[in-house]
Amino acid sequence: MKQDSLYRQPRKQVVDFAFDDAVVDVFPDMIRRSVPGYETLISLLAVLGYKYAQAGSTIYDLGCSLGASTLSLYQQVQPLDVRYIAIDNAPAMVEQCRKNLKKHMPGSQHEVLCQDIQHSPIENASIVVINFTLQFLPLEQRHTLLKKIYAGLLPGGCLLLSEKIRFNDVHKQSLVTDWHHAFKRANHYSDMEISQKRAALEHVLIPETPESHQQRLYNSGFKQVEQWFQCFSFVSFIAIKA
Ligand code: GEK
């Protein structure tokens, strides 16, 4: 696995973070060293998701990056006749994701689309995963996307939504940020890498409180919403369509 050293050297100006070739090369290393609990979350979301998979339906992975969620779901859902659609708008991610799914999901019905998820049709879905991606959409677009997902889900289907969150309580926010930085240091990121990455993400990744997420999910039509995972400021919700 290629090591992420993108922010190791001092930069005169830290430009906004982009999912380009350089990021794709180091992405598996970057996400494991930056998102506490990532591997656990990826495995467990498939264990949960499996209960909602329906034969003849489609499973969507929105903001799929290299396809980790799709691959994890495939391992659980495999015996069922389902179709997988993984979508990302970064061409470098899509190219690598296609190779990954082709290699690890032989014979399955799958497509990897290079699209903005805001414009992708969602139809006949039993499971929709949007893992650490809603946070990159403009705030005012998020409700529209969730309503579209709700409309595209079959009755009994579910949305699995994972996000980095923020807290209204400033003391809690500063405590959890401190833990996150400690996690990154323990994973051998230097203070300079941590602060440069933080600056690069500042205008790109806009976190919200868990209450805002839950309220938006209910407002989008979901009748049951549960936060099933949390590790520091990284959480995952399951929202079920009755
Ligand atoms: C994982 N889910 O491994 N349309 C499509 N893709 C987008 C959009 C958009 N509007 N905005 C951002 N992306 C993955 C991790 S990473 C999370 C997801 C992170 C894509 C972007 O190109 C990137 O691949 C992904 O969303 C976010 O579980 O890097 O923190």
Side-chain angles (χ1 to χ4, degrees):
M1 195 185 291
K2 195 167 171 192
Q3 209 190 24
D4 168 26
S5 58
L6 295 179
Y7 292 93
R8 194 164 287 170
Q9 301 307 324
R11 297 182 175 204
K12 280 208 183 77
Q13 190 192 5
V14 181
V15 292
D16 285 347
F17 189 82
F19 292 98
D20 54 16
D21 286 333
V23 169
V24 170
D25 277 355
V26 297
F27 188 77
D29 177 63
M30 174 191 285
I31 199 149
R32 279 169 186 77
R33 287 165 69 211
S34 307
V35 177
Y38 174 76
E39 280 114 331
T40 305
L41 185 149
I42 290 288
S43 326
L44 288 183
L45 76 77
V47 173
L48 283 194
Y50 172 65
K51 298 173 72 67
Y52 300 88
Q54 298 177 30
S57 72
T58 303
I59 294 181
Y60 288 84
D61 182 359
L62 307 181
C64 59
S65 295
L66 302 182
S69 303
T70 300
L71 288 167
S72 180
L73 278 160
Y74 173 72
Q75 283 170 11
Q76 296 291 330
V77 175
Q78 208 170 353
L80 278 184
D81 165 34
V82 294
R83 182 168 163 242
Y84 297 84
I85 299 188
I87 307 174
D88 204 286
N89 67 351
M93 288 289 188
V94 168
E95 194 186 321
Q96 188 55 45
C97 183
R98 283 193 179 128
K99 290 183 189 153
N100 291 350
L101 301 199
K102 191 171 174 203
K103 180 171 174 193
H104 297 290
M105 295 170 57
S108 66
Q109 281 192 68
H110 68 258
E111 278 178 85
V112 185
L113 307 176
C114 190
Q115 277 177 2
D116 184 329
I117 54 174
Q118 295 177 91
H119 305 133
S120 309
I122 309 283
E123 286 157 356
N124 190 36
S126 57
I127 305 172
V128 177
V129 177
I130 175 162
N131 226 14
F132 303 118
T133 299
L134 192 69
Q135 60 199 22
F136 293 109
L137 259 56
L139 276 174
E140 64 282 6
Q141 304 300 330
R142 297 179 185 183
H143 191 201
T144 308
L145 175 64
L146 293 190
K147 281 192 293 187
K148 178 174 74 177
I149 293 172
Y150 180 81
L153 275 167
L154 296 164
C158 79
L159 164 66
L160 290 155
L161 166 69
S162 310
E163 287 277 287
K164 180 174 188 183
I165 52 161
R166 67 172 183 84
F167 303 97
N168 280 331
D169 179 331
V170 285
H171 297 294
K172 183 166 180 178
Q173 181 63 52
S174 115
L175 190 67
V176 176
T177 303
D178 213 40
W179 296 343
H180 187 211
H181 290 174
F183 171 81
K184 287 186 141 192
R185 273 187 223 104
N187 281 320
H188 310 291
Y189 279 118
S190 67
D191 287 342
M192 185 195 293
E193 284 173 293
I194 294 171
S195 80
Q196 292 200 133
K197 175 82 178 281
R198 196 177 181 185
L201 281 173
E202 201 172 0
H203 305 291
V204 180
L205 189 170
I206 314 290
E208 296 177 86
T209 62
E211 295 79 16
S212 307
H213 281 296
Q214 275 162 332
Q215 195 53 55
R216 189 189 291 116
L217 288 164
Y218 285 122
N219 292 345
S220 303
F222 292 98
K223 292 285 174 286
Q224 189 169 9
V225 177
E226 301 295 338
Q227 184 187 309
W228 64 272
F229 178 91
Q230 176 164 5
C231 194
F232 303 171
S233 51
F234 296 85
V235 302
S236 193
F237 303 96
I238 183 165
I240 299 157
K241 179 163 175 172

